[in-house]
């Protein structure tokens, strides 16, 4: 039996195989509300045979968005838009659904990537004042963020909690907190972006304090039988920045607090990062977290091949693999992987006739 197609429990979440669809911003929302693009995008991925579909970075406040076109979950309208999308998807797919809750911090208020992705200053249309642990911009010359004071921290934490409560009402199976890619929680973790002199800055213990407070508050607010996980950057890829040793301390603290899984990505904190991009380039980071904790670890980053994915799970480097660009390029990747390993995969009734003759047992018929 293929390791990739072995079921796994993450907390109370039963996963049919080890393939996770990574969160992917679509920059196609209006006032934080999902649109018909999200139904098309998430809808087709929900037919892919992966075990878990992760909804893109979803802003917990309007100013938490990376761009004006990000999805949000901060009020009735944004909640209703997700509800509509999920209602349609669930009619045709029983794939488990997670949502990534996010705050972009100093990397908020930017143009959408295909229009350049540059910062939009607060006095321009579609721009706003950003916030961060310290008033240090992401890029030199950018309009700086405002350092969050105590009431600001309380407001951000409360927004994560409110969004998690909305996610619970939406019947979402798991919440992933975005602690990676240089967004707000990562900005607290890294000594390069966090220069605070209060109890939230300085020592490692202080820098992990706010992300852990957010985790604890969300964990308490989300139903106990549903998973809350964290996505981390395992390193900033810059000397003197956040690194794998600090990541392990953070992961162990999360484990003791009931975190159901750690998703190990990397980078995003500073434009001066030097990333050795290549197949499985982030896997050593996932492997290090896996060795130091007992909770499921998700590996991600240029995992494209079936044997490559099988080896990651089979050798125990990680428990699950996540796909982003790979599954956009080939949305039936899990079907092809199942065929490659003579395994079985779920396909919608409407497509059962597409089963190739050489794989007569590929589709789980009758569910
Ligand atoms: C279009 C696109 C949107 C993305 N949006 C998010 C996001 O919302 N949250 C996040 O944590 N990572 C995001 N990422 C990063 C991916 O989740 C993933 O970590 C990265 O692309 C590496 O995996 P891959 O090599 O399979 O693409 C995005 C990537 C792409 C390509």
């Amino acid at each position: 039996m293929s390791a990739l197609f072995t079921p796994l429990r993450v907390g109370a979440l039963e996963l049919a195989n080890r393939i996770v669809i990574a969160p992917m911003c679509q920059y196609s929302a209006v006032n934080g509300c999902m649109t018909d693009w999200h139904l098309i995008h998430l809808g087709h991925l929900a037919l892919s045979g992966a075990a878990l579909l992760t909804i893109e970075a979803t802003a917990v406040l309007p100013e938490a968005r990376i761009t004006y076109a990000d999805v949000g979950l901060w009020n009735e309208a944004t909640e209703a838009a997700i509800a509509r999308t999920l209602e349609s998807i669930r009619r045709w797919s029983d794939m488990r659904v997670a949502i990534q809750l996010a705050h972009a911090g100093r990397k908020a208020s930017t143009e959408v990537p295909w229009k350049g992705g540059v910062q939009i200053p607060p006095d321009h249309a579609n721009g706003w004042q950003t916030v961060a642990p310290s008033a240090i911009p992401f890029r030199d010359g950018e309009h700086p963020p405002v350092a969050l004071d105590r009431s600001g921290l309380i407001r951000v934490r409360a927004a994560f909690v409110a969004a998690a409560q909305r996610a619970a009402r939406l019947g979402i199976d798991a919440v992933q907190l975005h602690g990676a890619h240089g967004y707000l929680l990562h900005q607290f973790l890294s000594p390069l972006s966090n220069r605070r002199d209060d109890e939230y800055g300085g020592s490692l213990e202080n820098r992990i304090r706010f992300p852990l407070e957010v985790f604890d508050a969300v964990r308490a607010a989300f139903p106990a039988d549903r998973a809350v996980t964290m996505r981390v950057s395992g390193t900033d890829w810059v000397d003197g920045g956040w690194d794998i040793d600090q990541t392990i301390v953070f992961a162990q603290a999360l484990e003791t607090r009931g975190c159901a899984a750690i998703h190990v990505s990397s980078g995003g904190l500073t434009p001066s990062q030097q990333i050795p991009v290549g197949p499985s380039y982030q896997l050593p980071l996932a492997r290090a977290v896996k060795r130091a904790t007992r909770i499921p670890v998700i590996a991600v980053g240029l995992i494209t091949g079936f044997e490559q994915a099988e080896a990651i799970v089979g050798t125990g480097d990680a428990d699950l693999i996540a796909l982003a660009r790979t599954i956009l390029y080939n949305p039936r990747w899990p079907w092809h992987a199942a065929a490659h390993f003579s395994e079985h995969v779920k396909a919608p009734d409407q497509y059962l006739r597409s089963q190739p003759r050489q794989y007569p047992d590929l589709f789980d018929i009758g569910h």
Side-chain angles (χ1 to χ4, degrees), residues 22-25 56-57 100 178 181 231 265 300-302 323-325:
M24 281 179 276
C25 283
E56 68 191 76
Q100 186 183 54
H178 200 346
H181 302 168
R231 194 171 215 207
S265 186
V300 68
L302 283 182
L323 306 175
R325 290 164 291 187

Side-chain angles (χ1 to χ4, degrees), residues 22-27 55-58 66 100 176 178 180-181 183 231 263 265 281-282 300-303 322-328:
M24 281 179 276
C25 283
Q26 297 299 296
Y27 312 104
I55 296 173
E56 68 191 76
T58 298
I66 304 166
Q100 186 183 54
Q176 178 185 88
H178 200 346
H181 302 168
Y183 297 112
R231 194 171 215 207
H263 191 140
S265 186
Y281 67 102
Q282 295 175 148
V300 68
L302 283 182
I303 299 169
L323 306 175
R325 290 164 291 187
T326 299
I327 202 154
L328 290 186

